[in-house]
Amino acid sequence: MKRKAQIGLWTSLLLLVSALLLNGIVFTNAFAHLPHTPHYNGGSNRDGVGKYYPYLALDPEYTQPDYPTQIMFSIQDFGGNDVYNIATMVEIYDEISGNRIKVFPWTLHEIGDFEYYYTFPRVGNYQIVLSVATDNAKIDFGQFDPPRSILGSDNDCACDRAIFNITVSNTWGTYEIRFSQSP
């Protein structure tokens, strides 16, 4: 009887330790340092941007035109670790015209988590382009590169670039239920 009790105790202990380990693996937040799981991970390149992996989230998540939007970035290394002293430039392009409508100049961020605010002017699709300076790049902070016709191009830029496609709409989350009457 004593042996059965010992086996039961060891089995219970093993199950408890396994559950705690799985909890740490399965339920780990995998959305960088953002308030929710971002829909815009890694930009157009699933392999990341150079030696980093960028995340982008919007707040509100379903953005409407003429409403202030927080554009949040979390840039990490491929091990999920914070990165420090990272130089970036962020551009917003209108998909229909192809014109750059906003640029946030080259900025040195103490950590890879940062945000900008922007109010999108109309319903439609936009590209947010994140440029990350490569190691030893000579960057003119406070300045910005000219607009590009090929958004992913790094010509004349000592940088790696990611393109995030976003949609701005008036109807996010709106549901309308209509009942029709039979004659």
Side-chain angles (χ1 to χ4, degrees), residues 34 55 57 70-75 83 86-90 104 107 109-116 130-132:
L34 301 172
Y55 295 86
Q70 183 182 30
I71 304 168
M72 298 171 280
F73 291 94
S74 183
I75 303 172
V83 297
I86 186 164
T88 69
M89 179 181 71
V90 175
F104 299 96
T107 304
H109 302 281
E110 290 182 22
I111 190 166
D113 297 341
F114 57 93
E115 66 276 331
Y116 291 108
L130 171 68
S131 297
V132 178

mmCIF file of all heavy atoms in Angstrom, residues 34 55 57 70-75 83 86-90 104 107 109-116 130-132:
data_model
loop_
_atom_site.group_PDB
_atom_site.id
_atom_site.type_symbol
_atom_site.label_atom_id
_atom_site.label_comp_id
_atom_site.label_asym_id
_atom_site.label_seq_id
_atom_site.Cartn_x
_atom_site.Cartn_y
_atom_site.Cartn_z
ATOM 1 N N LEU A 34 3.241 44.684 -27.286
ATOM 2 C CA LEU A 34 2.071 45.415 -27.739
ATOM 3 C C LEU A 34 0.858 44.993 -26.932
ATOM 4 O O LEU A 34 0.825 43.901 -26.371
ATOM 5 C CB LEU A 34 1.859 45.157 -29.239
ATOM 6 C CG LEU A 34 3.053 45.568 -30.116
ATOM 7 C CD1 LEU A 34 2.851 45.118 -31.550
ATOM 8 C CD2 LEU A 34 3.290 47.063 -30.048
ATOM 9 N N TYR A 55 7.114 44.210 -35.343
ATOM 10 C CA TYR A 55 5.679 44.063 -35.172
ATOM 11 C C TYR A 55 5.064 45.458 -35.261
ATOM 12 O O TYR A 55 5.684 46.436 -34.835
ATOM 13 C CB TYR A 55 5.339 43.481 -33.800
ATOM 14 C CG TYR A 55 5.815 42.075 -33.584
ATOM 15 C CD1 TYR A 55 7.097 41.823 -33.124
ATOM 16 C CD2 TYR A 55 4.973 40.996 -33.819
ATOM 17 C CE1 TYR A 55 7.537 40.522 -32.910
ATOM 18 C CE2 TYR A 55 5.405 39.696 -33.607
ATOM 19 C CZ TYR A 55 6.677 39.472 -33.149
ATOM 20 O OH TYR A 55 7.112 38.190 -32.937
ATOM 21 N N ALA A 57 1.188 47.426 -34.550
ATOM 22 C CA ALA A 57 -0.207 47.356 -34.119
ATOM 23 C C ALA A 57 -0.785 48.757 -34.182
ATOM 24 O O ALA A 57 -0.058 49.748 -34.033
ATOM 25 C CB ALA A 57 -0.312 46.794 -32.702
ATOM 26 N N GLN A 70 -2.936 55.585 -33.096
ATOM 27 C CA GLN A 70 -1.604 55.318 -32.567
ATOM 28 C C GLN A 70 -1.011 54.165 -33.361
ATOM 29 O O GLN A 70 -1.616 53.092 -33.456
ATOM 30 C CB GLN A 70 -1.678 54.968 -31.087
ATOM 31 C CG GLN A 70 -0.325 54.738 -30.453
ATOM 32 C CD GLN A 70 -0.430 54.347 -28.994
ATOM 33 O OE1 GLN A 70 -1.413 53.731 -28.576
ATOM 34 N NE2 GLN A 70 0.575 54.683 -28.222
ATOM 35 N N ILE A 71 0.154 54.392 -33.958
ATOM 36 C CA ILE A 71 0.871 53.365 -34.705
ATOM 37 C C ILE A 71 2.010 52.897 -33.811
ATOM 38 O O ILE A 71 2.931 53.659 -33.528
ATOM 39 C CB ILE A 71 1.411 53.921 -36.035
ATOM 40 C CG1 ILE A 71 0.274 54.510 -36.868
ATOM 41 C CG2 ILE A 71 2.160 52.833 -36.806
ATOM 42 C CD1 ILE A 71 0.752 55.338 -38.050
ATOM 43 N N MET A 72 1.918 51.656 -33.345
ATOM 44 C CA MET A 72 2.881 51.137 -32.374
ATOM 45 C C MET A 72 3.796 50.112 -33.034
ATOM 46 O O MET A 72 3.323 49.244 -33.769
ATOM 47 C CB MET A 72 2.147 50.469 -31.214
ATOM 48 C CG MET A 72 1.256 51.413 -30.442
ATOM 49 S SD MET A 72 0.200 50.531 -29.256
ATOM 50 C CE MET A 72 -1.098 49.946 -30.352
ATOM 51 N N PHE A 73 5.072 50.230 -32.757
ATOM 52 C CA PHE A 73 6.065 49.280 -33.254
ATOM 53 C C PHE A 73 6.733 48.581 -32.086
ATOM 54 O O PHE A 73 6.944 49.173 -31.026
ATOM 55 C CB PHE A 73 7.155 49.994 -34.057
ATOM 56 C CG PHE A 73 6.685 50.563 -35.361
ATOM 57 C CD1 PHE A 73 6.275 51.877 -35.446
ATOM 58 C CD2 PHE A 73 6.649 49.782 -36.503
ATOM 59 C CE1 PHE A 73 5.835 52.418 -36.647
ATOM 60 C CE2 PHE A 73 6.211 50.301 -37.713
ATOM 61 C CZ PHE A 73 5.806 51.623 -37.780
ATOM 62 N N SER A 74 7.073 47.334 -32.298
ATOM 63 C CA SER A 74 7.945 46.607 -31.381
ATOM 64 C C SER A 74 8.930 45.847 -32.258
ATOM 65 O O SER A 74 8.543 44.959 -33.013
ATOM 66 C CB SER A 74 7.164 45.642 -30.494
ATOM 67 O OG SER A 74 8.046 45.010 -29.581
ATOM 68 N N ILE A 75 10.182 46.239 -32.190
ATOM 69 C CA ILE A 75 11.229 45.607 -32.988
ATOM 70 C C ILE A 75 12.089 44.792 -32.044
ATOM 71 O O ILE A 75 12.563 45.294 -31.023
ATOM 72 C CB ILE A 75 12.078 46.672 -33.717
ATOM 73 C CG1 ILE A 75 11.175 47.539 -34.591
ATOM 74 C CG2 ILE A 75 13.170 46.005 -34.545
ATOM 75 C CD1 ILE A 75 11.879 48.736 -35.192
ATOM 76 N N VAL A 83 15.674 45.208 -28.457
ATOM 77 C CA VAL A 83 16.829 45.808 -29.116
ATOM 78 C C VAL A 83 16.931 47.248 -28.635
ATOM 79 O O VAL A 83 15.922 47.884 -28.303
ATOM 80 C CB VAL A 83 16.749 45.727 -30.655
ATOM 81 C CG1 VAL A 83 16.750 44.281 -31.108
ATOM 82 C CG2 VAL A 83 15.524 46.430 -31.193
ATOM 83 N N ILE A 86 18.198 51.855 -31.690
ATOM 84 C CA ILE A 86 17.856 51.483 -33.059
ATOM 85 C C ILE A 86 17.364 52.726 -33.805
ATOM 86 O O ILE A 86 16.545 53.487 -33.297
ATOM 87 C CB ILE A 86 16.810 50.341 -33.068
ATOM 88 C CG1 ILE A 86 16.575 49.851 -34.481
ATOM 89 C CG2 ILE A 86 15.527 50.722 -32.375
ATOM 90 C CD1 ILE A 86 15.881 48.518 -34.549
ATOM 91 N N ALA A 87 17.916 52.936 -34.997
ATOM 92 C CA ALA A 87 17.563 54.099 -35.812
ATOM 93 C C ALA A 87 16.516 53.695 -36.841
ATOM 94 O O ALA A 87 16.706 52.718 -37.573
ATOM 95 C CB ALA A 87 18.799 54.650 -36.512
ATOM 96 N N THR A 88 15.418 54.447 -36.885
ATOM 97 C CA THR A 88 14.341 54.134 -37.821
ATOM 98 C C THR A 88 13.815 55.392 -38.500
ATOM 99 O O THR A 88 13.949 56.499 -37.993
ATOM 100 C CB THR A 88 13.142 53.461 -37.117
ATOM 101 O OG1 THR A 88 12.499 54.412 -36.262
ATOM 102 C CG2 THR A 88 13.575 52.246 -36.323
ATOM 103 N N MET A 89 13.192 55.166 -39.636
ATOM 104 C CA MET A 89 12.391 56.177 -40.331
ATOM 105 C C MET A 89 11.093 55.474 -40.713
ATOM 106 O O MET A 89 11.111 54.309 -41.113
ATOM 107 C CB MET A 89 13.104 56.679 -41.588
ATOM 108 C CG MET A 89 12.298 57.726 -42.352
ATOM 109 S SD MET A 89 13.121 58.318 -43.851
ATOM 110 C CE MET A 89 12.975 56.877 -44.904
ATOM 111 N N VAL A 90 9.964 56.163 -40.577
ATOM 112 C CA VAL A 90 8.663 55.575 -40.882
ATOM 113 C C VAL A 90 7.961 56.461 -41.903
ATOM 114 O O VAL A 90 7.915 57.684 -41.748
ATOM 115 C CB VAL A 90 7.806 55.420 -39.603
ATOM 116 C CG1 VAL A 90 6.409 54.925 -39.941
ATOM 117 C CG2 VAL A 90 8.480 54.488 -38.609
ATOM 118 N N PHE A 104 7.939 60.214 -40.835
ATOM 119 C CA PHE A 104 8.520 60.472 -39.524
ATOM 120 C C PHE A 104 10.026 60.303 -39.719
ATOM 121 O O PHE A 104 10.487 59.225 -40.090
ATOM 122 C CB PHE A 104 7.980 59.495 -38.480
ATOM 123 C CG PHE A 104 6.484 59.594 -38.298
ATOM 124 C CD1 PHE A 104 5.630 58.739 -38.981
ATOM 125 C CD2 PHE A 104 5.932 60.553 -37.467
ATOM 126 C CE1 PHE A 104 4.258 58.818 -38.823
ATOM 127 C CE2 PHE A 104 4.557 60.654 -37.299
ATOM 128 C CZ PHE A 104 3.713 59.780 -37.983
ATOM 129 N N THR A 107 15.100 58.663 -36.582
ATOM 130 C CA THR A 107 15.084 58.885 -35.135
ATOM 131 C C THR A 107 15.839 57.747 -34.466
ATOM 132 O O THR A 107 15.688 56.582 -34.853
ATOM 133 C CB THR A 107 13.634 58.914 -34.619
ATOM 134 O OG1 THR A 107 12.908 59.910 -35.334
ATOM 135 C CG2 THR A 107 13.573 59.214 -33.134
ATOM 136 N N HIS A 109 15.958 55.514 -31.366
ATOM 137 C CA HIS A 109 15.100 55.087 -30.261
ATOM 138 C C HIS A 109 15.949 54.331 -29.251
ATOM 139 O O HIS A 109 16.727 53.459 -29.627
ATOM 140 C CB HIS A 109 13.976 54.181 -30.758
ATOM 141 C CG HIS A 109 13.111 54.823 -31.788
ATOM 142 N ND1 HIS A 109 12.110 55.720 -31.478
ATOM 143 C CD2 HIS A 109 13.104 54.717 -33.139
ATOM 144 C CE1 HIS A 109 11.526 56.125 -32.584
ATOM 145 N NE2 HIS A 109 12.114 55.534 -33.618
ATOM 146 N N GLU A 110 15.762 54.647 -27.978
ATOM 147 C CA GLU A 110 16.507 53.951 -26.935
ATOM 148 C C GLU A 110 16.187 52.462 -26.917
ATOM 149 O O GLU A 110 17.025 51.646 -26.574
ATOM 150 C CB GLU A 110 16.195 54.553 -25.562
ATOM 151 C CG GLU A 110 16.771 55.930 -25.369
ATOM 152 C CD GLU A 110 16.478 56.474 -23.983
ATOM 153 O OE1 GLU A 110 16.222 55.675 -23.050
ATOM 154 O OE2 GLU A 110 16.507 57.692 -23.834
ATOM 155 N N ILE A 111 14.947 52.134 -27.261
ATOM 156 C CA ILE A 111 14.508 50.736 -27.279
ATOM 157 C C ILE A 111 13.618 50.557 -28.510
ATOM 158 O O ILE A 111 13.058 51.523 -29.023
ATOM 159 C CB ILE A 111 13.766 50.365 -25.972
ATOM 160 C CG1 ILE A 111 13.521 48.855 -25.884
ATOM 161 C CG2 ILE A 111 12.491 51.165 -25.799
ATOM 162 C CD1 ILE A 111 13.111 48.370 -24.513
ATOM 163 N N GLY A 112 13.465 49.321 -28.977
ATOM 164 C CA GLY A 112 12.712 49.042 -30.196
ATOM 165 C C GLY A 112 11.205 49.152 -30.062
ATOM 166 O O GLY A 112 10.486 48.854 -31.002
ATOM 167 N N ASP A 113 10.701 49.575 -28.920
ATOM 168 C CA ASP A 113 9.269 49.803 -28.730
ATOM 169 C C ASP A 113 9.024 51.307 -28.782
ATOM 170 O O ASP A 113 9.514 52.053 -27.938
ATOM 171 C CB ASP A 113 8.799 49.267 -27.382
ATOM 172 C CG ASP A 113 8.955 47.766 -27.262
ATOM 173 O OD1 ASP A 113 9.073 47.094 -28.297
ATOM 174 O OD2 ASP A 113 8.968 47.261 -26.123
ATOM 175 N N PHE A 114 8.255 51.744 -29.779
ATOM 176 C CA PHE A 114 7.962 53.175 -29.924
ATOM 177 C C PHE A 114 6.670 53.341 -30.689
ATOM 178 O O PHE A 114 6.142 52.382 -31.260
ATOM 179 C CB PHE A 114 9.124 53.902 -30.622
ATOM 180 C CG PHE A 114 9.470 53.338 -31.976
ATOM 181 C CD1 PHE A 114 8.912 53.852 -33.138
ATOM 182 C CD2 PHE A 114 10.369 52.282 -32.091
ATOM 183 C CE1 PHE A 114 9.227 53.330 -34.382
ATOM 184 C CE2 PHE A 114 10.703 51.756 -33.335
ATOM 185 C CZ PHE A 114 10.132 52.281 -34.481
ATOM 186 N N GLU A 115 6.124 54.541 -30.679
ATOM 187 C CA GLU A 115 4.869 54.790 -31.370
ATOM 188 C C GLU A 115 4.849 56.182 -31.985
ATOM 189 O O GLU A 115 5.612 57.063 -31.583
ATOM 190 C CB GLU A 115 3.664 54.622 -30.446
ATOM 191 C CG GLU A 115 3.554 55.631 -29.331
ATOM 192 C CD GLU A 115 4.378 55.284 -28.103
ATOM 193 O OE1 GLU A 115 4.628 54.104 -27.817
ATOM 194 O OE2 GLU A 115 4.787 56.234 -27.425
ATOM 195 N N TYR A 116 3.979 56.315 -32.969
ATOM 196 C CA TYR A 116 3.701 57.587 -33.617
ATOM 197 C C TYR A 116 2.185 57.735 -33.688
ATOM 198 O O TYR A 116 1.455 56.746 -33.584
ATOM 199 C CB TYR A 116 4.272 57.618 -35.041
ATOM 200 C CG TYR A 116 5.774 57.647 -35.097
ATOM 201 C CD1 TYR A 116 6.486 56.524 -35.503
ATOM 202 C CD2 TYR A 116 6.490 58.790 -34.747
ATOM 203 C CE1 TYR A 116 7.874 56.546 -35.573
ATOM 204 C CE2 TYR A 116 7.869 58.817 -34.804
ATOM 205 C CZ TYR A 116 8.556 57.694 -35.215
ATOM 206 O OH TYR A 116 9.921 57.723 -35.268
ATOM 207 N N LEU A 130 8.598 50.818 -42.725
ATOM 208 C CA LEU A 130 9.558 50.960 -41.634
ATOM 209 C C LEU A 130 10.950 50.734 -42.190
ATOM 210 O O LEU A 130 11.235 49.680 -42.755
ATOM 211 C CB LEU A 130 9.266 49.917 -40.536
ATOM 212 C CG LEU A 130 10.310 49.793 -39.432
ATOM 213 C CD1 LEU A 130 10.331 51.048 -38.560
ATOM 214 C CD2 LEU A 130 10.035 48.545 -38.591
ATOM 215 N N SER A 131 11.814 51.735 -42.064
ATOM 216 C CA SER A 131 13.224 51.601 -42.445
ATOM 217 C C SER A 131 14.041 51.504 -41.168
ATOM 218 O O SER A 131 13.875 52.315 -40.253
ATOM 219 C CB SER A 131 13.686 52.816 -43.256
ATOM 220 O OG SER A 131 12.971 52.906 -44.463
ATOM 221 N N VAL A 132 14.907 50.503 -41.114
ATOM 222 C CA VAL A 132 15.789 50.301 -39.962
ATOM 223 C C VAL A 132 17.222 50.416 -40.463
ATOM 224 O O VAL A 132 17.628 49.692 -41.377
ATOM 225 C CB VAL A 132 15.558 48.917 -39.318
ATOM 226 C CG1 VAL A 132 16.518 48.698 -38.158
ATOM 227 C CG2 VAL A 132 14.113 48.770 -38.870
#
